[in-house]
């Protein structure tokens, strides 16, 4: 079984001056996740580790790089899902968590629930020992420059399990309280061991309406590769008039990605190498 991992740094645009750093950070994210896979770790470990690297960078719209809402604050959403049992953990509208993806994983593993929001999610994360910061300290100085939308990762591990992780600051100047697609299973991400996993980026309202990642995962089969599905699902998504893209991994470990925005930085394991590109 090949070990597979692909990450994206958000569909949209990035300043040309940032392109090299963006690709390098996406490579770092894959390297962090690959280290888990190579040591026999799970796809869940790999996608969480990869997304944490992207959340910690001010270059991406997630975690420390999150855009601001209409009140001038960062309000973040994240979700993680594993394909064996279809377990999910998600947080929404959090303002004080440096790594929302880890809070999402803790929701999955240490609560009877799947989705916690706002102060309740933050209080839970603090009790679990996560770093909780002031909302103001989440506003990275770079924020006024261009960055893509959302970060994410999908992986297949040596035991044949798939997983997806997605994290976002959402839409720039969104209404306070607005939740996008990212923490919604089947919209921002979806994973099913018999088929594969997918992670979306783009305008959350259209991704939710199209159930983009559920749709994409259901289109996968042994005969149809992740790349073929990624290509086939984008014209369907276009009918919902949204900008965005997705990354995918299929049960055979083949990765795929597609987008209709100018850029969508990606990096993935390719044999012994890690490849990175700013767009397809
Ligand atoms: N795709 C992220 C969002 O719309 O919130």
């Amino acid at each position: 079984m090949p070990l597979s991992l692909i990450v994206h740094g958000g569909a949209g645009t990035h300043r040309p001056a940032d392109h090299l750093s963006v690709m390098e950070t996406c490579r770092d994210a894959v390297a962090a996740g690959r280290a888990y896979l190579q040591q026999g770790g799970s796809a869940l470990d790999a996608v969480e580790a990869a997304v944490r690297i992207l959340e910690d960078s001010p270059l991406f719209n997630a975690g420390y790089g999150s855009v601001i809402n209409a009140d001038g604050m960062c309000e973040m959403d994240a979700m993680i899902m594993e394909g064996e049992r279809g377990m999910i953990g998600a947080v929404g509208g959090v303002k004080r968590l440096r790594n929302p993806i880890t809070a999402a994983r803790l929701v999955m593993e240490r609560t009877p629930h799947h989705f916690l929001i706002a102060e309740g999610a933050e209080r839970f994360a603090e009790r679990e020992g996560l770093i909780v910061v002031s909302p103001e300290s989440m506003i990275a100085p770079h924020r006024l420059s261009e960055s893509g939308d959302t970060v994410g990762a999908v992986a297949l591990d040596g035991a044949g399990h798939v997983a997806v992780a997605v994290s976002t600051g959402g839409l720039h100047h969104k209404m306070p309280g607005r939740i996008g697609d990212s923490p919604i299973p089947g919209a921002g991400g979806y994973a099913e061991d018999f088929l594969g996993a997918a992670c979306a980026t783009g305008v959350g309202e259209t991704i939710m309406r199209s159930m983009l990642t559920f749709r994409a995962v259901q289109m996968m089969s042994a005969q149809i590769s992740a790349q073929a599905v990624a290509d086939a699902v984008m014209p369907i998504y276009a009918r919902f008039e949204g900008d965005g893209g997705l990354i995918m991994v299929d049960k055979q470990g083949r990765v795929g990605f597609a987008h209709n925005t100018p850029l969508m930085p990606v990096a993935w394991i390719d044999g012994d190498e890690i490849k990175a590109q700013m767009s397809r």
Side-chain angles (χ1 to χ4, degrees), residues 77 149-150 168-171 178-182 200-205 207:
D77 308 328
D149 161 88
T150 311
T168 190
L171 298 184
R178 177 263 187 192
I179 300 281
D181 61 297
S182 300
T201 163
V203 179
E205 283 69 13
I207 296 172

Side-chain angles (χ1 to χ4, degrees), residues 14-225:
H14 286 267
R15 292 186 316 164
D18 290 337
H19 287 191
L20 281 179
S21 317
V22 163
M23 282 193 287
E24 206 45 46
T25 313
C26 287
R27 272 204 193 88
D28 290 347
V30 171
R34 183 177 64 174
Y36 278 94
L37 295 175
Q38 286 172 335
Q39 291 158 23
S42 67
L44 263 183
D45 292 333
V47 293
E48 180 193 355
V51 165
R52 282 180 65 101
I53 298 283
L54 301 171
E55 285 180 336
D56 286 342
S57 166
L59 289 168
F60 304 95
N61 178 12
Y64 183 56
S66 293
V67 297
I68 50 174
N69 67 13
D71 283 347
M73 303 309 293
C74 301
E75 252 185 325
M76 299 162 284
D77 308 328
M79 191 253 294
I80 197 160
M81 179 173 185
E82 56 85 37
E84 186 182 9
R85 297 173 58 214
M87 294 303 284
I88 297 155
V91 293
V94 293
K95 296 185 180 139
R96 301 195 303 135
L97 301 181
R98 278 306 280 261
N99 291 108
I101 197 61
T102 296
R105 183 161 181 186
L106 289 170
V107 170
M108 180 177 87
E109 293 181 341
R110 299 196 194 163
T111 81
H113 309 303
H114 287 341
F115 194 170
L116 296 181
I117 62 162
E119 292 91 341
E122 291 168 357
R123 282 210 306 270
F124 160 73
E126 192 164 22
R127 275 202 309 278
E128 294 293 333
L130 294 198
I131 298 175
V132 175
V133 296
S134 70
E136 293 73 24
S137 71
M138 292 301 299
I139 302 171
H142 99 287
R143 183 157 290 102
L144 295 178
S145 69
E146 294 171 34
S147 70
D149 161 88
T150 311
V151 302
V154 291
L156 171 76
D157 63 28
H161 302 310
V162 294
V164 55
V166 50
S167 184
T168 190
L171 298 184
H172 197 48
H173 284 138
K174 63 189 178 183
M175 289 174 69
R178 177 263 187 192
I179 300 281
D181 61 297
S182 300
I184 311 291
Y190 196 72
E192 200 170 313
D193 273 4
F194 291 114
L195 297 168
C199 179
T201 163
V203 179
E205 283 69 13
T206 50
I207 296 172
M208 277 191 252
R209 287 209 304 281
S210 63
M211 292 304 281
L212 183 60
T213 58
F214 181 75
R215 200 183 280 269
V217 168
Q218 302 313 309
M219 286 165 73
M220 287 203 268
S221 71
Q223 288 72 41
I224 309 178
S225 69

